[in-house]
């Protein structure tokens, strides 16, 4: 067999994260002050952005919509609205701050960095701002999304994930792995 069969897919395989990215999009906008938990927008069921039409999963307009409803109903149109108001530079800086596009540094072999198209690189086009807002057009490892969502629950502090709690040396000395904040 190949070495690939021994790699843990939680760190060595990437997928589009999808709608679990929406809370991160909102967090970035709240942090920047371009939206707040009390913000609303008019949801028309679809939005045109960068030459593409993006629809809600239910293809339904929801009218005046709060940020809570955006999450409750998992509305792509709302995520795009929030990301566009934030702008590509701040949105992508938030993706990087949440750890997308970089290995987490977890103590496991074969960790992938994921795929994010940054505005400063070839291959990026304005539509990535829209699709990335709801977790499409990018890819991450499961541990990256867990760490990013964990930062929301940890007052905005992204922690370095680890699986080893401690090591024991030949003389029996124990070295505990301490929680390590990344930023």
């Amino acid at each position: 067999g190949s070495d690939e069969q021994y790699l843990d897919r939680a760190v060595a395989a990437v997928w589009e994260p999808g709608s679990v990215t929406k809370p991160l999009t909102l967090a970035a906008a709240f942090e920047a002050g371009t939206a707040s938990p009390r913000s609303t927008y008019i949801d028309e069921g679809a939005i045109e952005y960068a030459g593409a039409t993006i629809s809600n999963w239910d293809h339904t307009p929801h009218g005046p919509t709060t940020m809570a409803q955006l999450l409750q109903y998992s509305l792509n149109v709302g995520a795009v609205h929030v990301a566009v108001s934030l702008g590509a530079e701040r949105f992508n800086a938030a993706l990087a701050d949440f750890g997308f596009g970089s290995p987490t540094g977890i103590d496991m072999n074969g960790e992938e960095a994921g795929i994010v198209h940054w505005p400063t690189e070839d291959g990026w086009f304005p539509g990535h701002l829209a699709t990335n807002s709801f977790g499409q057009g990018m890819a991450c490892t499961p541990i990256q999304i867990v760490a990013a969502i964990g930062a929301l629950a940890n007052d905005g502090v992204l922690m370095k994930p680890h699986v080893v709690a401690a090591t024991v040396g030949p003389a029996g000395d124990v070295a505990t792995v301490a929680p390590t904040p990344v930023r």
Side-chain angles (χ1 to χ4, degrees), residues 26-112:
L26 284 176
F30 292 173
E31 180 77 16
T34 60
S36 76
R38 297 183 189 276
S39 296
T40 61
Y41 71 100
I42 305 300
D43 190 300
E44 297 178 351
I47 190 169
E48 295 280 334
Y49 188 77
T53 301
I54 295 169
S55 301
N56 289 327
W57 63 272
D58 60 1
H59 301 284
T60 302
H62 290 261
T65 304
T66 66
M67 298 297 105
Q69 290 169 322
L70 181 165
L71 291 178
Q72 179 182 2
Y73 300 113
S74 192
L75 300 173
N76 294 345
V77 170
V80 172
H81 171 81
V82 170
V84 169
S85 70
L86 186 58
E89 186 176 326
R90 289 187 290 191
F91 177 74
N92 281 279
L95 287 181
D97 284 347
F98 277 119
F100 295 105
S102 301
T104 65
I106 192 168
D107 48 356
M108 296 177 71
N109 290 332
E111 184 179 17
E112 291 291 329

